[in-house]
Amino acid sequence: WTHEHPQYVSFQLAFIADGFKERTVAAASAQALKYLCQDCAVFLANHWRDVLGFFGDVASGTLDAADVVEISVALAHVISAVPAPDTALAIEAFSMPVGRELGALLQQTPIDTRAVALLLDRLGAFLRYVHIDDNDAASQLMARIVGDAWPLAQAALERVGGDSHVSESAAKFVRVLVEFYSSVLRLVAPQIIDTVVLAFQQTGLDVYLWLARRIVSVGHTLAADETSSLQLTSSLVTRLCDSALVLFRTTPFSDVPETTEEFFRLLERAVEAAPAFIIQSPSFALVFGASVAALDVNHFHAQSAVLRAWAQILSPTRRHIRMMRDATHTSYPVATIVELCTEHGLALCAKLLLGLLRTFDRELVPEAADVFASLAAVASDGPAAAAARSEAPFVEWVQAVLAQVPDASFAPAEKLAFVQALADAVLAHQWPKIKVLVADVAAVFWRRNNAQS
């Protein structure tokens, strides 16, 4: 309707403005303004001063923090539509006051952490949604704003990074900077890495692991060349691994399920993005051992994250082993994974098999069964294992684990049949069959023993 009747935009803005005067409809007014600005920005471009002035009037009044952020997004859409040469002026009119206020707050003692968090959210939302194309003056201004914004975020992280409000807002803000303005921040990328690592070391908050994963996802843009980018991201991940391992040595995984989830989601993404750098890092052997222990975590999302990390470690290794058998060259660090699987194989097999039988959430059985099959393939088909014997020690590991299961809940004849079928599948390199086999056994075991209890 607005596209057909743009002459009524001023009336619409006035009507929405009246809504902000009543707290009961302020949130609805914020949504209305957001969508009006998002979908009809071209008709509002000439009214950007009115929208900005109106925003200044209500930002500290009836609006909740979420509504203030919604309007920041709305302003970004409008300013993106402002034609040159006013684009740079509009950007500056919104962002500069926010930056100055944020800088002033960070100099105070004590710091108003809620106000700092809101300003970070406002500026982050604006930078996320404003889009400047083919406008050199505006692009140069945006580069300067982003360059000035990083020291503010750094100061917030260093001074009040342990605050629950600031940590969330600062992490989301830095995510916007690295995902949308990484080329502007290349000179300070090492500072960003150092600051994120330090924030996690000092606070142990899982939000910094979440931020690290987002950085890894765009890690290839952090430097001018791929090798330097990978070195930066691998440095971030390995240092965070070292810090997380210190935490996990004194705190059970199930006591910090959110941290466990974010750590293993980070590990999954890092191994996918830079397998050679991560797997061959000095600390990876310790991470591998901790990943075995983490299979005991009893929270669904954390459990899922651990299994997905294992899938990312073992499935590509299994694939590259097959390539090596076909005389195809690969630079994947297969030997390292095979060696670690040989060293930790019995413990890993026990965690997976007992988890499948007893503790894993039933929704995660297919993922766990796939990891179990990948372990069978890596341990049995890997270079070191192949040099030893065809079925390697995998079947022996399974026998040792089943010995821990009482005969009352898993009959000896059924154990024997399972081991024999497993050995036949290993000998024939039928890894998909192993996945189906162990999933079926786990399902029968679960139904029978749950019915008895």
Side-chain angles (χ1 to χ4, degrees):
W1 187 90
T2 302
H3 276 262
E4 294 294 328
H5 308 87
Q7 67 271 25
Y8 292 105
V9 162
S10 297
F11 169 79
Q12 289 173 286
L13 285 175
F15 181 78
I16 292 172
D18 286 340
F20 284 109
K21 298 173 183 177
E22 299 291 336
R23 179 169 288 277
T24 55
V25 294
S29 299
Q31 286 283 314
L33 182 61
K34 173 187 172 182
Y35 291 118
L36 180 66
C37 293
Q38 177 180 307
D39 298 326
C40 305
V42 64
F43 304 120
L44 292 163
N46 292 328
H47 299 274
W48 69 266
R49 289 181 177 84
D50 297 331
V51 177
L52 185 58
F54 154 69
F55 176 57
D57 292 338
V58 301
S60 58
T62 57
L63 289 182
D64 294 329
D67 300 326
V68 173
V69 175
E70 293 280 13
I71 298 182
S72 299
V73 174
L75 278 166
H77 290 301
V78 173
I79 290 174
S80 297
V82 173
D86 288 341
T87 315
L89 182 62
I91 292 171
E92 190 170 28
F94 174 83
S95 58
M96 291 304 184
V98 176
R100 283 195 295 269
E101 186 178 355
L102 180 58
L105 282 174
L106 290 169
Q107 297 300 316
Q108 295 178 0
T109 304
I111 294 176
D112 185 344
T113 54
R114 287 183 178 272
V116 167
L118 179 55
L119 289 171
L120 286 168
D121 287 338
R122 284 173 57 184
L123 188 55
F126 179 79
L127 293 176
R128 163 67 179 84
Y129 289 100
V130 70
H131 297 289
I132 307 301
D133 298 317
D134 302 323
N135 189 323
D136 292 339
S139 297
Q140 291 173 9
L141 176 61
M142 287 297 295
R144 181 161 62 86
I145 291 171
V146 170
D148 292 340
W150 161 242
L152 295 173
Q154 185 179 30
L157 289 169
E158 291 176 349
R159 295 203 62 191
V160 283
D163 179 84
S164 59
H165 300 100
V166 173
S167 60
E168 294 282 342
S169 297
K172 290 188 291 185
F173 183 76
V174 175
R175 173 231 170 163
V176 169
L177 295 185
V178 297
E179 286 193 356
F180 296 94
Y181 301 96
S182 57
S183 60
V184 177
L185 295 171
R186 281 177 178 170
L187 290 177
V188 296
Q191 293 180 24
I192 296 175
I193 301 299
D194 291 342
T195 303
V196 173
V197 171
L198 182 62
F200 179 72
Q201 289 173 341
Q202 293 179 338
T203 68
L205 294 175
D206 57 274
V207 70
Y208 297 121
L209 298 174
W210 170 86
L211 174 58
R213 176 164 54 87
R214 305 310 294 249
I215 293 174
V216 170
S217 296
V218 295
H220 60 283
T221 66
L222 293 180
D225 61 275
E226 183 179 2
T227 300
S228 298
S229 296
L230 288 173
Q231 288 173 342
L232 280 170
T233 54
S234 62
S235 170
L236 169 66
V237 174
T238 53
R239 291 164 64 188
L240 285 173
C241 284
D242 292 341
S243 300
L245 290 176
V246 173
L247 171 65
F248 293 139
R249 274 196 289 269
T250 57
T251 307
F253 291 100
S254 294
D255 287 357
V256 283
E258 292 85 2
T259 303
T260 299
E261 178 188 351
E262 289 300 343
F263 175 76
F264 283 98
R265 292 186 72 185
L266 169 62
L267 181 62
E268 176 198 1
R269 185 68 190 91
V271 172
E272 179 185 16
F277 281 89
I278 302 302
I279 293 172
Q280 294 176 329
S281 67
S283 62
F284 186 74
L286 296 175
V287 172
F288 194 97
S291 301
V292 175
L295 286 165
D296 283 336
V297 68
N298 57 13
H299 293 260
F300 175 81
H301 294 293
Q303 205 173 82
S304 175
V306 175
L307 287 170
R308 291 183 64 176
W310 272 115
Q312 188 58 53
I313 292 170
L314 295 180
S315 294
T317 305
R318 171 178 161 186
R319 184 171 63 253
H320 284 275
I321 288 173
R322 186 168 63 249
M323 292 170 60
M324 294 170 66
R325 286 170 60 90
D326 296 337
T328 302
H329 174 73
T330 175
S331 59
Y332 199 85
V334 169
T336 301
I337 298 297
V338 172
E339 182 180 349
L340 289 169
C341 283
T342 302
E343 179 182 351
H344 297 274
L346 176 57
L348 178 54
C349 180
K351 298 288 187 185
L352 288 169
L353 185 52
L354 294 177
L356 280 160
L357 295 177
R358 295 172 173 166
T359 60
F360 290 155
D361 189 283
R362 294 301 94 183
E363 290 185 27
L364 299 176
V365 164
E367 292 181 52
D370 190 59
V371 174
F372 184 83
S374 292
L375 175 62
V378 172
S380 306
D381 218 10
R389 48 183 168 167
S390 57
E391 66 254 38
F394 182 74
V395 176
E396 296 175 7
W397 296 341
V398 172
Q399 289 175 314
V401 174
L402 290 178
Q404 304 174 33
V405 181
D407 291 344
S409 56
F410 201 154
E414 293 177 338
K415 291 181 184 178
L416 183 61
F418 172 51
V419 170
Q420 186 57 56
L422 193 68
D424 291 343
V426 169
L427 195 61
H429 303 284
Q430 295 178 330
W431 315 124
K433 184 176 180 179
I434 290 177
K435 176 182 176 180
V436 174
L437 177 65
V438 73
D440 289 347
V441 167
V444 171
F445 182 92
W446 180 270
R447 285 196 298 269
R448 177 189 300 153
N449 289 281
N450 276 10
Q452 289 176 355
S453 61

